[in-house]
Amino acid sequence: MFQAIIVALVVFLTVGGQELLGFTMIGRPIVIAPLIGLLLGDMSTGLLVGAALETVFMGVVNIGGASSAEPGLAAALATAFAIQMGGRVEVAIALAVPLGIIGLQIKTILYVLVVGPFAARFDRLAAAGDATGIKKLHFGLWGLQWFLYALIPFFALLVGSKATQKVLEMIPEVILHGLSIAGGLLPAVGMAMLMKILWDNNVSVYYFLGFLIIAYFKVPLIAVAVMAVIIAIVVAQGDISKMKLEKEIAKKLSGSGAVDSSGMTTSQLENEAFFS
């Protein structure tokens, strides 16, 4: 009962809070899983599940009808199940993906059934200029919707944890081993999805540089992150200098074509602006 209440409360405050406060990232696995691990007394499992699932769902952005999974619910249930199963992180991660897909469908249904019918009432309150009524209705619907959503992990752990444990005990070891392998591969799939979205040949050299530093020189991830920040600052400073230079050249060339009033060519103006 205690674990079910804790997980439900975390889902309500993080996943629901993200919907209320905006794109705060508090509904991401890297936040939810360690928080649940801390509250349930197994921080290490929470960190492992959170890091792995954040890698899986890093490229997942649900916008309008282009939706795929709900990372928050998946992270919460996966962490709780992993702790209950004695640290079977890989199995929990493999179960997290279908849980995330189901969670998103339930969230969409709640949007339609709980919030949808009140759309006309919002219009009437807006037409009447009743700002107080809009606020009350907005926060009331938010609380009702995410209370109902938080019941999913509550009953999943209250009723389903023992059943899940019994089902897992009935599964042959070879299948559990397969789930463990799949759970280990899922972070690589998540990174591949993210790279497919963000890949740019102009910056690909930094990816290979990072791979080289970690794989061959065994540099810790924190040190690589600091290097990345330094590189980003240097590149940003170069871009800012380039923008300033282009503005200076544009001012000198405005209304004069390739040669300004002093008779200097574009190349000469660039050299003058660069060395000035």
Side-chain angles (χ1 to χ4, degrees):
M1 173 69 77
F2 173 75
Q3 289 186 345
I5 294 175
I6 289 296
V7 174
L9 182 61
V10 169
V11 169
F12 178 83
L13 294 176
T14 55
V15 182
Q18 180 169 266
E19 296 289 333
L20 179 66
L21 301 175
F23 199 60
T24 59
M25 304 299 289
I26 61 175
R28 300 297 301 183
I30 198 64
V31 175
I32 294 176
L35 181 58
I36 290 178
L38 176 64
L39 295 175
L40 298 185
D42 192 349
M43 185 66 171
S44 60
T45 298
L47 288 170
L48 288 173
V49 174
L53 287 183
E54 186 63 39
T55 308
V56 173
F57 292 112
M58 191 179 295
V60 173
V61 179
N62 297 320
I63 302 175
S67 304
S68 57
E70 172 50 57
L73 180 66
L77 290 176
T79 306
F81 285 148
I83 293 173
Q84 290 179 346
M85 290 184 294
R88 299 297 295 268
V89 175
E90 295 83 1
V91 176
I93 291 173
L95 295 173
V97 175
L99 289 174
I101 296 173
I102 294 172
L104 180 64
Q105 305 309 314
I106 296 176
K107 185 170 77 170
T108 303
I109 291 172
L110 288 176
Y111 272 132
V112 174
L113 296 181
V114 177
V115 181
F118 289 90
R121 180 164 178 78
F122 275 110
D123 291 336
R124 289 195 295 270
L125 291 172
D130 189 356
T132 302
I134 292 176
K135 291 179 181 178
K136 291 181 179 179
L137 185 59
H138 169 69
F139 287 107
L141 289 175
W142 173 83
L144 175 61
Q145 177 189 354
W146 294 107
F147 171 77
L148 295 175
Y149 191 76
L151 292 177
I152 301 171
F154 176 79
F155 286 111
L157 291 173
L158 185 64
V159 180
S161 60
K162 294 182 179 179
T164 302
Q165 184 66 36
K166 290 181 180 179
V167 170
L168 289 173
E169 291 174 353
M170 296 170 57
I171 298 176
E173 185 62 30
V174 63
I175 296 180
L176 285 176
H177 182 64
L179 287 174
S180 298
I181 295 175
L185 289 174
L186 283 174
V189 176
M191 286 298 297
M193 293 172 58
L194 184 65
M195 288 177 61
K196 184 178 180 181
I197 297 172
L198 301 178
W199 185 263
D200 187 340
N201 291 332
N202 294 325
V203 296
S204 60
V205 62
Y206 298 114
Y207 168 78
F208 294 108
L209 176 62
F211 177 81
L212 178 67
I213 293 173
I214 292 177
Y216 290 95
F217 295 104
K218 309 299 181 183
V219 177
L221 287 176
I222 295 179
V224 176
V226 173
M227 293 179 190
V229 172
I230 294 173
I231 292 174
I233 293 174
V234 171
V235 172
Q237 289 177 337
D239 290 341
I240 293 173
S241 299
K242 183 180 178 181
M243 290 175 59
K244 290 181 179 179
L245 179 61
E246 290 176 347
K247 288 181 179 179
E248 290 179 7
I249 295 174
K251 287 181 180 179
K252 292 184 178 182
L253 292 178
S254 59
S256 61
V259 180
D260 72 337
S261 57
S262 63
M264 299 177 66
T265 64
T266 302
S267 177
Q268 291 172 332
L269 285 171
E270 290 179 354
N271 290 333
E272 181 189 11
F274 179 78
F275 290 109
S276 60

